Amino acid sequence: MPVKLSLSSLKQTHWHEYLIRFVLGGAATVLAGLIGKQFGTSVGGLFLALPAIFCASATLIDRHECRKKERVALNGGRRGPQAAALDAAGPGLGSIGLAAFAAVFYLTIPASVAVAFAVALVAWGTVAVSMWWLRRKLRVVRHQRQHDHASANRLAS
């Protein structure tokens, strides 16, 4: 599936859903700041890495998908969680890239901050895109195996 921008989803979201995202994101940021103040910036920084609005977004995606299915008289109980899980894959893969960024930056910072940042940025992009590509390839292989297995079962019966 190619990545694309769709502004139509902005019309599907109610104002109070944006408010929920804003409040939860702000609360997560404030909590990270308080943790950082109490336990130091290293610990606080770990909590800032938390995708602050992810929880609210996953809930809203689930709700939107369920509503779409209900509009056409279908049960959206399975589609909603699947859509939210698919949306969660992006931050998960991106966090692996972020870990690569941190490791490369840590290892190269003695040379130069600018060089360390540039090299770490390339590492992050390479790892994140590679993880996305690998997930896509493994998913295709898994679906193909399931399809082959289902076909073999039909032929056997």
Side-chain angles (χ1 to χ4, degrees):
M1 171 194 307
V3 177
K4 61 183 176 179
L5 177 66
S6 173
L7 298 178
S8 65
S9 62
L10 293 175
K11 296 174 189 172
Q12 298 172 357
T13 306
H14 301 281
W15 69 268
H16 65 277
E17 293 172 336
Y18 288 113
L19 182 64
I20 291 169
R21 289 179 184 182
F22 177 78
V23 169
L24 289 177
T29 304
V30 168
L31 179 64
L34 293 172
I35 290 170
K37 188 173 183 178
Q38 180 69 30
F39 299 104
T41 55
S42 296
V43 176
L46 292 173
F47 286 90
L48 277 175
L50 168 75
I53 62 169
F54 171 71
C55 297
S57 295
T59 304
L60 296 175
I61 288 169
D62 177 42
R63 190 177 309 152
H64 281 246
E65 290 300 320
C66 287
R67 278 191 212 144
K68 272 194 223 176
K69 291 293 182 179
E70 288 170 2
R71 281 188 209 125
V72 292
L74 295 172
N75 181 1
R78 197 169 127 205
R79 173 72 177 152
Q82 286 176 339
L86 183 61
D87 188 62
L93 298 175
S95 67
I96 296 169
L98 180 61
F101 177 94
V104 170
F105 189 81
Y106 177 79
L107 293 172
T108 57
I109 192 123
S112 160
V113 173
V115 169
F117 183 75
V119 172
L121 194 60
V122 169
W124 169 78
T126 302
V127 169
V129 170
S130 297
M131 293 303 298
W132 173 81
W133 179 84
L134 182 62
R135 179 186 178 275
R136 183 178 172 95
K137 290 298 177 188
L138 291 175
R139 189 168 179 236
V140 168
V141 168
R142 189 182 77 209
H143 285 296
Q144 184 61 41
R145 284 184 184 160
Q146 287 174 346
H147 175 72
D148 293 346
H149 182 69
S151 297
N153 284 343
R154 272 184 262 148
L155 290 174
S157 32

